[in-house]
Amino acid sequence: MSDALTSLLRSRDWLLADGATGTTLFNMGLESGDAPEFWNETETAKVRALYRGSVEAGSDIFLTNTFGGNAARLKLHGAEARAGELSRMGAEIAREIADAAGRPVVVAGSMGPTGEIMAPMGPLTHEGAVEIFHQQAEGLKAGGADVLWVETISAPEELRAAAEAAALVDMPWCVTMSFDTAGRTMMGTTPPDMTRLIGKLAHGPVAYGANCGVGASDLIRTVMGFATSDTPVIAKGNAGIPKYVEGHIHYNGTPKLMADYAVMARDAGATIIGGCCGTTAAHLEKMRAALETRPRGEPPALGLVAERLGDFSSASDGLDGKAPTRDRSASRRRRGQI
């Protein structure tokens, strides 16, 4: 099986991923509460524009509009039976854009969390989670995705289920967790915990790391917390901190701030660098320019990170024993990347 991402990683010492799907689609008219995945069928021109914007801004990897395209999430819209179909559509449009790019560009099939709490504390069994991910992965593979991209995961159990689904469809995959609770995921996982977890998987990822969370500074600190391994690290941080202004969410991270973030992420050890919520093509252009022109340096001091990117959201990095302990009873159903 051809692995386009691994091939690209062999030829480059950093790759630029894309920005925020939801932010761009909301700017195009998506309404809050609507499933973006329906646009893969009804608003294909806008989805093409979403993908093309990332490629033209310099992204080497871009994610499909399928973050909430699994049966558990689509059930909220009465479309659980269409998970594979809508994911296939999203990947087909992406394949078209990537093939026309004139340079190697990787199509990453986005797979977000199920939104369910897994057994024994919740209703979702391991077998059920594997089937949910498997169904979506089959659609993404059929649509031409180069790699599966499992993102915004909080629970180790869900990560393991996604790994099993990727093995079932015989596809390379990447995974990112969201470290948004004092340096830990909502379910208590720390960056070193994640490194140990992926090291034990029978079908390990091509790359792993962190996305979303709080702000860009927290994301850099998280990257520094990953134990050294041979697996490339992903950094996909939010464009600053969200602010609610006149009925809309705006992120305060400027393109200049995200350019600084991109260089710091690379120097902190990340190989695949992109943006999450609030990150637009304008941010990506500056990030690409900074990565191409600024020399590689030593890992940045945390004081410099805070000075350039903003204060950390908590004093704890999740590794000092002061962060919250794992709470399996917590429940947060992410509605999508914005």
Side-chain angles (χ1 to χ4, degrees):
M1 178 182 59
S2 174
D3 183 349
L5 179 55
T6 296
S7 297
L8 200 54
L9 284 166
R10 290 194 184 110
S11 65
R12 299 269 301 281
D13 60 359
W14 59 264
L15 298 176
L16 182 67
D18 64 357
T21 295
T23 297
T24 304
L25 294 184
F26 283 131
N27 289 341
M28 291 179 177
L30 182 71
E31 295 292 334
S32 179
D34 290 348
E37 292 73 24
F38 291 152
W39 275 26
N40 295 335
E41 180 177 39
T42 63
E43 298 283 358
T44 55
K46 292 180 178 180
V47 175
R48 285 190 185 94
L50 163 74
Y51 296 158
R52 191 179 294 114
S54 295
V55 173
E56 292 178 350
S59 294
D60 302 296
I61 306 162
F62 70 92
L63 276 58
T64 57
N65 177 38
T66 55
F67 175 80
N70 63 63
R73 296 285 290 273
L74 289 173
K75 185 177 181 180
L76 300 173
H77 305 276
E80 60 269 31
R82 303 194 66 199
E85 177 188 16
L86 291 170
S87 292
R88 173 183 56 77
M89 291 177 180
E92 285 176 343
I93 302 168
R95 184 76 270 153
E96 172 191 332
I97 298 301
D99 289 347
R103 61 184 174 87
V105 176
V106 173
V107 173
S110 175
M111 298 170 62
T114 65
E116 302 288 344
I117 300 296
M118 292 191 65
M121 301 305 296
L124 184 61
T125 65
H126 174 78
E127 293 76 16
V130 171
E131 180 51 34
I132 288 170
F133 286 125
H134 183 202
Q135 182 184 24
Q136 186 177 17
E138 289 282 11
L140 292 166
K141 181 177 183 179
D146 294 304
V147 61
L148 301 177
W149 192 282
V150 181
E151 56 177 333
T152 325
I153 300 298
S154 294
E157 296 85 356
E158 199 163 41
L159 190 155
R160 294 188 188 99
E164 191 170 324
L168 287 173
V169 295
D170 192 25
M171 282 192 71
W173 68 298
C174 297
V175 60
T176 57
M177 300 186 85
S178 184
F179 298 84
D180 56 3
T181 309
R184 300 181 179 224
T185 72
M186 179 183 68
M187 303 306 281
T189 302
T190 66
D193 289 339
M194 186 182 186
T195 299
R196 288 188 288 270
L197 173 59
I198 68 154
K200 296 177 181 178
L201 296 172
H203 182 53
V206 174
Y208 78 105
N211 80 297
C212 202
V214 186
S217 54
D218 287 68
L219 197 288
I220 298 297
R221 187 168 65 175
T222 293
V223 168
M224 291 180 175
F226 288 120
T228 302
S229 74
D230 295 330
T231 305
V233 169
I234 300 165
K236 216 165 183 288
N238 294 340
I241 304 298
K243 305 288 185 182
Y244 195 72
V245 181
E246 297 181 354
H248 298 279
I249 294 177
H250 297 272
Y251 284 78
N252 67 0
T254 63
K256 180 182 182 301
L257 180 145
M258 290 303 284
D260 289 342
Y261 146 81
V263 172
M264 287 184 173
R266 180 197 62 191
D267 294 348
T271 301
I272 299 175
I273 301 152
C276 202
C277 303
T279 309
T280 67
H283 294 92
L284 292 172
E285 288 177 357
K286 295 298 185 183
M287 291 164 66
R288 177 92 192 195
L291 288 167
E292 288 180 334
T293 59
R294 299 188 200 178
R296 184 179 292 274
E298 296 296 319
L302 292 181
L304 180 62
V305 173
E307 178 184 332
R308 294 278 183 84
L309 305 183
D311 291 336
F312 298 106
S313 64
S314 67
S316 174
D317 62 359
L319 307 177
D320 54 11
K322 298 178 182 179
T325 56
R326 185 171 182 175
D327 179 7
R328 291 176 177 267
S329 67
S331 175
R332 178 190 300 167
R333 300 192 178 197
R334 295 183 182 272
R335 296 292 300 163
Q337 311 287 102
I338 60 172

